[in-house]
Amino acid sequence: MGSLWGAGVLEVVWAYTMKQSQGFTRLVPSVVTGVTMVASFGLLSLPLGTAYTIWTGIGAVGAFVVGITVLGEQVNAPRVLAAVLIVSGLVLMKLSATE
């Protein structure tokens, strides 16, 4: 499960650095995006349905938090509710996993 969390965190990093690369025109953020993207994919280790769901959920909520805290994106009730629902789905998916 630790590698799955690592994959999710790396997904947040590559999503953030991809935005910072300004369309892959800046070298360092572009390289960081590529490296963390490959590493994130490489860390997926659970059965596909569970791993992919949790990985994308971590990435979605992480990108939401980074968007608000680092990029100054808008916070409103519907967006917060969506994040809460994603986290609830992650918990339910993990609790229902049989591996």
Side-chain angles (χ1 to χ4, degrees):
M1 186 66 174
S3 64
L4 183 58
W5 284 104
V9 169
L10 288 173
E11 183 181 8
V12 174
V13 172
W14 71 253
Y16 174 74
T17 57
M18 185 167 55
K19 180 157 181 72
Q20 299 305 306
S21 76
Q22 297 177 356
F24 297 103
T25 60
R26 296 178 59 217
L27 179 62
V28 172
S30 298
V31 170
V32 172
T33 298
V35 169
T36 55
M37 189 179 286
V38 170
S40 179
F41 294 151
L43 288 174
L44 295 176
S45 62
L46 292 175
L48 178 61
T50 302
Y52 185 73
T53 302
I54 294 173
W55 174 67
T56 56
I58 293 168
V61 172
F64 168 72
V65 170
V66 168
I68 290 169
T69 60
V70 178
L71 302 175
E73 294 178 356
Q74 180 183 11
V75 180
N76 57 40
R79 292 186 77 208
V80 171
L81 177 60
V84 168
L85 290 172
I86 291 169
V87 171
S88 299
L90 294 175
V91 170
L92 183 59
M93 180 62 73
K94 179 58 184 154
L95 292 175
S96 68
T98 58
E99 71 284 342

